Amino acid sequence: MSTDIAVDDRCIGAFWELKSKRDINTVIYRLNDLLNSCVVEHEGNLTHDELLLALPANEPRIVIYDLPFATEDGTRQNKILLISWLPPRATPQHKAAYGHTHAALRDTLDGSQLLPVRSTSTADLAYQCLASHARTAAQLGDTSEHSGLTTSAGQARTPAKGPGPAPSRQSA
């Protein structure tokens, strides 16, 4: 398997549609059968529950999700999440390919504006867990510094050891 993952132009267009026009709130990406090209599987408006139902139990996915939440003081905000969905029953080959896909998308898209979330179960993607993660990032003010944050059982945490994704490029 090659580590070079091609990102289809539609993937980029769907991201910019979500980011700029806010006509959609979710883009789900998958790899083609050869595991060498990232394509859009779904784009549209999904509730949080519909998003969880859209994720396959045995196959990884990458999701861009515009999460609405309230800060500690009640201010309504949105954060755009870059979710790596890596269920435990996915094959090692798929997990590795989706790791490369996550990096390719982060590098191709405006990664400095994306809050990364890595998940292995739907419990990791519980609304309160995601909102807590987004609030933490909002308080710290810069999502690119938090690329090592991971959700787990409703809490944001920093991994003990091991490399995280490469730092994102800052927008001018």
Side-chain angles (χ1 to χ4, degrees):
M1 173 182 69
S2 171
T3 59
D4 293 329
I5 302 292
V7 177
D8 185 81
D9 288 343
R10 186 165 169 236
C11 295
I12 299 165
F15 168 73
W16 285 106
E17 178 75 17
L18 180 147
K19 185 175 177 180
S20 62
K21 295 181 182 176
R22 306 261 181 185
D23 291 335
I24 61 173
N25 70 351
T26 308
V27 181
I28 300 175
Y29 300 102
R30 68 171 180 81
L31 288 175
N32 64 0
D33 292 339
L34 299 175
L35 302 179
N36 66 0
S37 181
C38 180
V39 297
V40 173
E41 179 175 73
H42 174 82
E43 64 181 293
N45 286 305
L46 296 180
T47 66
H48 181 262
D49 290 338
E50 290 169 336
L51 170 63
L52 297 180
L53 291 173
L55 297 173
N58 299 323
E59 296 177 28
R61 292 294 186 269
I62 304 293
V63 179
I64 303 283
Y65 186 65
D66 189 5
L67 177 76
F69 67 99
T71 62
E72 296 286 329
D73 67 0
T75 304
R76 293 185 184 270
Q77 289 191 2
N78 285 57
K79 284 284 184 196
I80 299 175
L81 308 178
L82 176 60
I83 300 170
S84 293
W85 169 246
L86 300 168
R89 293 184 296 207
T91 67
Q93 182 181 17
H94 278 97
K95 287 180 182 181
Y98 276 86
H100 294 295
T101 303
H102 180 272
L105 281 170
R106 185 192 62 238
D107 292 345
T108 302
L109 305 176
D110 187 4
S112 67
Q113 299 299 310
L114 300 172
L115 180 62
V117 175
R118 294 178 190 263
S119 61
T120 58
S121 74
T122 54
D124 294 339
L125 298 176
Y127 178 81
Q128 290 303 326
C129 182
L130 294 177
S132 174
H133 189 53
R135 274 192 292 277
T136 299
Q139 286 174 340
L140 297 171
D142 180 5
T143 60
S144 65
E145 293 179 13
H146 314 296
S147 59
L149 285 176
T150 308
T151 60
S152 177
Q155 298 177 354
R157 64 180 171 85
T158 303
K161 291 188 180 189
S168 303
R169 289 176 281 182
Q170 293 292 326
S171 301

